[in-house]
Amino acid sequence: MNADRHGTHAHGSVTATDTDSAQEPGPSTDPELNARIRPMRSGGNTLPWKLLSLLLALALALSLWTGHRGPIGQAEGGTVADTVTVGLKLAPTNLDIRNQSGTALDQLLIGNVYQGLVSRDSRNQVRPGLARTWNVSEDGLVYTFHLYEGIRFSNGHALRAQDVVDSIRGLMAGHYQGSEMLEGFQGVEATDPLTVRLTLSRPYQDLLWQLSGRAGLVFDRRAHYDMKTQAVGSGPYLLESFRPNDSVTLKADPHYWGSDKPKTPTIVIRYLNDDNAAVNALRSGDVQVLAPVTENLASPFRKNPDFQVKAGDDTDKYVLAMNGKGAATSDLRVRQAIRHAIDHRQLIASRGGSDRAMGGPISSLDPGYQDLTGLYPHDPEQARRLLAQAGYGPEHRLKLRLTYANTYGSELGDQLRSQLRQVGIDLDVRVVEFSVWLQDVHANKDYDLSLVDHGESHDFHQWANPGYYYNYDNRQVQELYRQAMATTSADDSDRLLAKAARIVSNDAAADWLFNYRVTTAWRTGLEGFPVDLNQSLMPLSDVTYRRG
């Protein structure tokens, strides 16, 4: 969501911003290259050459026949395919990664077509990107990046430090997506063709991580193209075609500069927003990998040796927000009672069991994580005692409204209503259009309880912002967060964030229903597809598919 610095996701990792806008088609397939062969010249006896020509012709015919089906060569254990088709759920409305919000573009383009100064691995840690190394001044105000030599964009232009400078300056001047993440940005300059110096007005611990996303992407300053339908990047893949809401075709860049050269020449992305259609496409072989697939629909694939299924770690947090200024929810005892009343194991089991319980606002892949699930165990009796202390009981039952967007369906609301009823809370569940949620809950803060999938990583700032829709205002938490971002020590930052997170959880500012984990299913023989974090970043260079 772009109303402020955070991300809210719908079921299946659909971002709120994507839900709010019309979803249009995506990528497409492209014409195959024609194979050519030149006749050989020879003198003397022509018979061996004629025989060789015949063999070559037969080989060419065979390669064209198999090429139509996908494979390009034989290897031990099967035939390696030259095309892999990936089934995804969330389609981008267009390809303009500077202006269009939503994780679908990050997933498709970052690391595949566009690259940033630094990158991010599957454990959410910063790694080299276009910059092979970097240095940070002792005061945390100056970052110096040293670029790899020989980097080229897909159009052949050399990538230089000035491209980095122009990209970051353009980001800030145009207020493009990601610009709000560069807190304390003061300036950027090229000190030589391969060196970039970025200056801050104050230390910002999250800077490098933010540069691994949209804020750090580098564009060709000399290229002219329509970013809504085209892309010119320095990544391992070229964007060959884009059919909104349908498909995207990526082709390996034969002149790619990096060491992570694509192992599969063509990757086709198909967008399948209907769960049953997606599962059928995987079963029939129309796609070789599907992400996400709901855990319940993945069950048959787990029992079939032709498929592999795995749930990956992610940063999505299903948050049951409690209005800190609500008539009843401003009472700590009421919020504590709600947390004790919720049976997280039952919620997770009903969804197939792949999600994980979390007792606080920081996921396991983010700085400051600690296991806080023991703070509010499922304890209906304690919930009733707390409600009684707050003045509620059989003769005076607590009535609350749960308002959330219809993108999440009705099951979670029904389960929460049933669980809270057992301790004496009557829940009026209101499932509304997302636009209504934005106005009533996010803007006007007119709610008791709300349910949102907050999918962004490094998003603890929400709890340090008293103006956010939670209406949570704790000065100690705000100061701890400020210190965590201002320190130049990552260890100190982790410690400060962990301390702040424990306070937020103790305050029962919300209940964190579960950490949503994305289940991915693929055909046996497919390797190299990322399982962790694949709804936000999906590097495809290592993907191969070997037919059995």
Side-chain angles (χ1 to χ4, degrees), residues 152-153 155-160 163 219-224:
R152 291 194 173 273
F153 290 104
N155 58 9
H157 291 169
L159 187 153
R160 294 288 186 263
D163 292 294
F219 304 97
D220 183 356
R221 69 188 189 279
R222 294 166 291 176
H224 300 283

Side-chain angles (χ1 to χ4, degrees), residues 426-484:
D426 293 332
L427 207 57
D428 176 13
V429 179
R430 301 182 182 184
V431 182
V432 300
E433 294 290 332
F434 179 68
S435 58
V436 174
W437 181 89
L438 269 181
Q439 185 62 41
D440 291 354
V441 177
H442 188 269
N444 296 336
K445 303 172 187 172
D446 180 15
Y447 75 102
D448 295 321
L449 306 176
S450 188
L451 171 64
V452 177
D453 173 11
H454 284 277
E456 290 298 313
S457 177
H458 289 234
D459 62 355
F460 186 81
H461 54 83
Q462 297 172 347
W463 301 102
N465 177 7
Y468 199 56
Y469 81 94
Y470 299 144
N471 272 331
Y472 177 69
D473 188 355
N474 184 303
R475 298 293 178 84
Q476 186 181 6
V477 168
Q478 293 158 25
E479 178 59 21
L480 287 168
Y481 178 71
R482 187 197 65 76
Q483 293 176 15

Side-chain angles (χ1 to χ4, degrees), residues 117-119 126-137 142-148 196 208:
L117 263 180
V118 292
S119 64
V126 173
R127 295 290 181 262
L130 297 172
R132 55 184 174 81
T133 60
W134 54 87
N135 310 103
V136 185
S137 63
V142 179
Y143 287 70
T144 304
F145 299 91
H146 306 281
L147 305 181
Y148 281 102
V196 175
L208 286 172

Side-chain angles (χ1 to χ4, degrees), residues 177-499:
Q177 294 286 321
S179 60
E180 71 280 9
M181 301 302 183
L182 296 190
E183 294 184 6
F185 173 79
Q186 184 167 299
V188 61
E189 61 181 332
T191 58
D192 66 47
L194 294 177
T195 307
V196 175
R197 184 163 59 207
L198 188 151
T199 306
L200 301 177
S201 61
R202 62 183 185 275
Y204 179 38
Q205 178 62 219
D206 267 0
L207 177 70
L208 286 172
W209 188 89
Q210 298 296 352
L211 288 174
S212 70
R214 295 197 190 197
L217 294 181
V218 178
F219 304 97
D220 183 356
R221 69 188 189 279
R222 294 166 291 176
H224 300 283
Y225 58 98
D226 182 357
M227 291 191 74
K228 291 183 177 181
T229 57
Q230 300 170 304
V232 175
S234 59
Y237 283 99
L238 308 169
L239 177 75
E240 187 169 75
S241 62
F242 169 59
R243 289 181 180 170
N245 272 351
D246 179 71
S247 61
V248 171
T249 300
L250 303 176
K251 290 283 188 180
D253 182 351
H255 307 298
Y256 176 57
W257 64 275
S259 60
D260 54 331
K261 297 184 184 300
K263 295 180 179 178
T264 298
T266 303
I267 301 285
V268 177
I269 310 293
R270 286 188 56 195
Y271 293 102
L272 305 161
N273 57 18
D274 179 85
D275 288 342
N276 289 317
V279 165
N280 289 334
L282 179 63
R283 186 179 292 115
S284 68
D286 287 345
V287 302
Q288 285 75 58
V289 57
L290 190 62
V293 54
T294 62
E295 186 64 30
N296 293 331
L297 289 177
S299 243
F301 295 110
R302 291 187 184 277
K303 303 170 186 175
N304 188 332
D306 292 335
F307 299 93
Q308 303 292 319
V309 180
K310 186 177 180 181
D313 293 332
D314 217 309
T315 60
D316 287 54
K317 302 162 286 292
Y318 269 64
V319 180
L320 181 68
M322 306 187 203
N323 191 339
K325 294 183 179 178
T329 51
S330 59
D331 189 323
L332 173 62
R333 296 165 298 185
V334 168
R335 301 196 304 271
Q336 291 175 324
I338 292 171
R339 294 201 66 184
H340 279 303
I342 295 173
D343 185 346
H344 300 90
R345 290 184 181 180
Q346 188 269 331
L347 294 179
I348 292 170
S350 71
R351 292 168 52 84
S354 65
D355 299 324
R356 284 181 177 160
M358 59 183 302
I362 297 179
S363 75
S364 61
L365 292 180
D366 277 340
Y369 169 75
Q370 58 184 323
D371 185 353
L372 299 175
T373 53
L375 291 182
Y376 287 93
H378 178 52
D379 189 342
E381 283 303 318
Q382 177 65 4
R384 294 186 189 97
R385 284 193 290 270
L386 286 163
L387 287 173
Q389 292 172 19
Y392 300 98
E395 305 302 320
H396 181 207
R397 293 176 65 86
L398 175 59
K399 301 181 187 299
L400 296 173
R401 288 175 298 151
L402 168 61
T403 308
Y404 66 93
N406 57 11
T407 48
Y408 300 103
S410 61
E411 185 177 356
L412 270 174
D414 292 342
Q415 289 173 306
L416 290 169
R417 176 166 46 203
S418 175
Q419 291 186 2
L420 296 186
R421 182 186 299 122
Q422 296 174 28
V423 301
I425 300 175
D426 293 332
L427 207 57
D428 176 13
V429 179
R430 301 182 182 184
V431 182
V432 300
E433 294 290 332
F434 179 68
S435 58
V436 174
W437 181 89
L438 269 181
Q439 185 62 41
D440 291 354
V441 177
H442 188 269
N444 296 336
K445 303 172 187 172
D446 180 15
Y447 75 102
D448 295 321
L449 306 176
S450 188
L451 171 64
V452 177
D453 173 11
H454 284 277
E456 290 298 313
S457 177
H458 289 234
D459 62 355
F460 186 81
H461 54 83
Q462 297 172 347
W463 301 102
N465 177 7
Y468 199 56
Y469 81 94
Y470 299 144
N471 272 331
Y472 177 69
D473 188 355
N474 184 303
R475 298 293 178 84
Q476 186 181 6
V477 168
Q478 293 158 25
E479 178 59 21
L480 287 168
Y481 178 71
R482 187 197 65 76
Q483 293 176 15
M485 292 300 100
T487 181
T488 58
S489 165
D491 289 341
D492 286 347
S493 183
D494 279 2
R495 177 181 54 80
L496 291 163
L497 287 172
K499 184 176 181 179

